[in-house]
Amino acid sequence: MSSARNPRLTARLQGFGTTIFAEMTALAQRHQAVNLGQGFPDFEGPPQIRDAAIEAIKAGHNQYARSFGIPPLTAAIAEHQRHHHGLEYDAETEVTVCNGATEVIASTLQALLDVGDEVVMFEPVYDSYLATVAMAGAVPKVVTLRAPAFDYDRAQLEAAITPKTRVLLLNTPHNPTGKVFSQPELEHIAALCRDHDLIAVTDEVYEHLVFEGEHVPLARLPGMRERTVVISSAGKTFSFTGWKVGWACAPPNLTRAIRTAHQFVTFCNSTPFQHAVAKALALGDEYFDTLREDYRGRRDRLCAGLRDVGFTVMQPAGTYFVCVDIRPLGFSDDMELCRRLPEAVGVTAIPNSAFYVNKEAGRHLVRFAFCKSDPVLDEGIARLRNNIGRLTT
Ligand code: PMP
Ligand code: GLN
């Protein structure tokens, strides 16, 4: 993100100028580049769900919703958690609907953190986390996932926890690495949360995009349900990222706290889209299986193409992103490469250093999104193959 100083911006938010996604999408548009940067599908979600949103508008569901979500949606979220993950939540007292996962994270952190409290998280870190922690006046403590395997050092995680730590913020499946945290890793994290009385906030927006292994919600581990806020959203699972319907599932005491903050951040999410997402969550298993298998095909297509171009590809176990090491092609600075790619090569990607506090750890990594139709992926790969030489010579 741009770090130019803006004298009108609070000290808390200095350095958070413009997100890397907005910057790279603007470059893609300016140069008509194939946008493999910002993660949004270039295809539609299920037509019957799109129609359900239109029908909800026509049926007059156009006024404010109940602050924590319309009853059919909170019920559908609880049922989805039960059916897909074996987690039981009460729709009336343990579910909160917000404006996308982004607002769930913001309202949750506003609700749970006092000024000076510490939040432990892994880098590369999804871009909104650091800004949101800063807005709450809290302090991030970052533990690095080490490329190429994106594992972490247990002692480093343990050392990051201090008496001031209140929250451990975990994203699995993980954007941008595609890592799916393993059972032993989750057990280690859960033990630390229990031992240090931490609240776990788990961002699981890619819960249905897992190609290797299994997505295990941290809340399912012993002693964790009562101290975990599980976050997800409709954007990735139903390919409607612009609808911005997200939710938190958490025990009643945590839910009451989140709802208090959420009331004053947005009050409620858009009513007709809530009706549509309630129907989407109730789609049969076949929908979720097909989604995953279609994405597996796109992942394999893009990974093969990027390998063919000459990058070292870190095949993702989940999400719709793949990270590559740019050094085999002679590049050493991800930001410089990504700022030149759209014009010189006709492709847009995201520089991973944007997701790091310790920028050097991500300098050799670039993220490509595969939430795109096959012809678009093929065009992006062809442009890279044909034009990347313009940057290497
Ligand atoms: N968390 C992660 C890890 C994400 O990748 C994203 C966006 N793709 C979000 C949160 C935000 O989700 P939403 O669009 O529902 O706000
Ligand atoms: N989550 C999307 C990504 O990682 C971007 C969302 C946004 O632009 N805020 O690409």
Side-chain angles (χ1 to χ4, degrees):
M1 57 200 75
S2 143
S3 56
R5 217 192 113 73
N6 176 350
R8 288 288 184 200
L9 194 61
T10 62
R12 289 194 302 282
L13 283 174
Q14 288 297 335
F16 291 107
T18 302
T19 82
I20 195 66
F21 306 122
E23 180 186 344
M24 290 300 152
T25 287
L27 275 182
Q29 284 164 355
R30 187 174 321 143
H31 299 295
Q32 278 119 46
V34 175
N35 192 351
L36 304 182
Q38 192 177 29
F40 60 90
D42 69 349
F43 41 84
E44 287 284 311
Q48 71 274 34
I49 301 305
R50 193 195 48 192
D51 290 348
I54 296 166
E55 280 150 23
I57 292 173
K58 286 188 178 163
H61 295 300
N62 298 311
Q63 307 306 331
Y64 293 132
R66 184 173 69 169
S67 175
F68 62 89
I70 60 168
L73 180 55
T74 56
I77 291 165
E79 175 53 23
H80 172 272
Q81 287 299 77
R82 192 195 61 74
H83 178 72
H84 292 277
H85 302 306
L87 283 164
E88 302 274 349
Y89 288 99
D90 182 86
E92 291 300 300
T93 59
E94 298 188 308
V95 178
T96 309
V97 175
C98 295
N99 239 271
T102 309
E103 195 237 322
V104 188
I105 295 161
S107 289
T108 300
L109 296 183
Q110 285 292 340
L112 301 182
L113 296 170
D114 273 313
V115 172
D117 283 348
E118 293 177 0
V119 183
V120 171
M121 60 185 93
F122 293 100
E123 70 171 0
V125 61
Y126 180 62
D127 78 329
S128 82
Y129 297 180
L130 292 172
T132 303
V133 167
M135 284 191 276
V139 179
K141 289 289 170 125
V142 170
V143 176
T144 304
L145 295 172
R146 302 168 301 190
F150 298 115
D151 55 0
Y152 69 89
D153 182 272
R154 288 186 171 216
Q156 239 177 45
L157 178 59
E158 286 156 23
I161 298 169
T162 77
K164 288 188 176 168
T165 311
R166 288 266 295 154
V167 165
L168 188 145
L169 178 49
L170 178 73
N171 170 216
T172 184
H174 182 262
N175 177 8
T177 65
K179 174 187 174 72
V180 176
F181 279 72
S182 68
Q183 183 81 25
E185 287 172 329
L186 293 174
E187 280 168 15
H188 177 236
I189 293 166
L192 291 174
C193 291
R194 289 189 303 262
D195 292 351
H196 297 275
D197 194 19
L198 308 183
I199 297 164
V201 176
T202 61
D203 176 346
E204 306 182 17
V205 299
Y206 299 99
E207 61 188 311
H208 288 291
L209 296 181
V210 174
F211 317 112
E212 250 76 64
E214 189 200 351
H215 169 60
V216 179
L218 189 68
R220 228 167 58 192
L221 274 66
M224 290 308 291
R225 186 195 180 283
E226 64 254 40
R227 59 173 68 253
T228 301
V229 179
V230 183
I231 295 175
S232 196
S233 108
K236 330 290 154 181
T237 302
F238 303 109
S239 308
F240 291 120
T241 59
W243 287 13
K244 299 295 287 186
V245 180
W247 52 87
C249 295
N253 58 344
L254 289 171
T255 293
R256 278 197 302 276
I258 295 165
R259 287 180 181 177
T260 298
H262 161 68
Q263 288 180 116
F264 303 116
V265 175
T266 56
F267 183 73
C268 68
N269 184 253
S270 155
T271 308
F273 293 126
Q274 292 194 47
H275 282 274
V277 172
K279 293 206 164 63
L281 285 166
L283 288 170
D285 289 345
E286 195 197 336
Y287 170 77
F288 299 92
D289 293 344
T290 305
L291 177 85
R292 187 185 60 245
E293 292 315 309
D294 286 352
Y295 267 111
R296 186 196 301 281
R298 293 183 195 109
R299 174 194 68 160
D300 293 347
R301 197 179 196 96
L302 183 60
C303 286
L306 292 171
R307 233 175 258 122
D308 192 38
V309 171
F311 294 112
T312 300
V313 172
M314 289 141 197
Q315 174 130 322
T319 76
Y320 49 48
F321 304 112
V322 50
C323 292
V324 301
D325 188 332
I326 59 177
R327 290 173 299 190
L329 285 170
F331 302 110
S332 55
D333 187 322
D334 65 330
M335 193 64 81
E336 191 196 326
L337 174 62
C338 288
R339 286 194 168 132
R340 294 174 67 200
L341 265 185
E343 185 171 9
V345 175
V347 173
T348 304
I350 300 291
N352 275 38
S353 61
F355 303 119
Y356 285 81
V357 173
N358 309 298
K359 298 285 176 209
E360 289 316 307
R363 195 72 74 198
H364 62 293
L365 299 173
V366 162
R367 188 196 85 176
F368 291 90
F370 53 86
C371 42
K372 308 292 165 182
S373 47
D374 286 350
V376 170
L377 292 175
D378 290 346
E379 177 64 19
I381 295 162
R383 289 187 186 191
L384 283 164
R385 196 185 308 113
N386 297 335
N387 302 340
I388 196 87
R390 294 179 187 166
L391 292 175
T392 51
T393 48

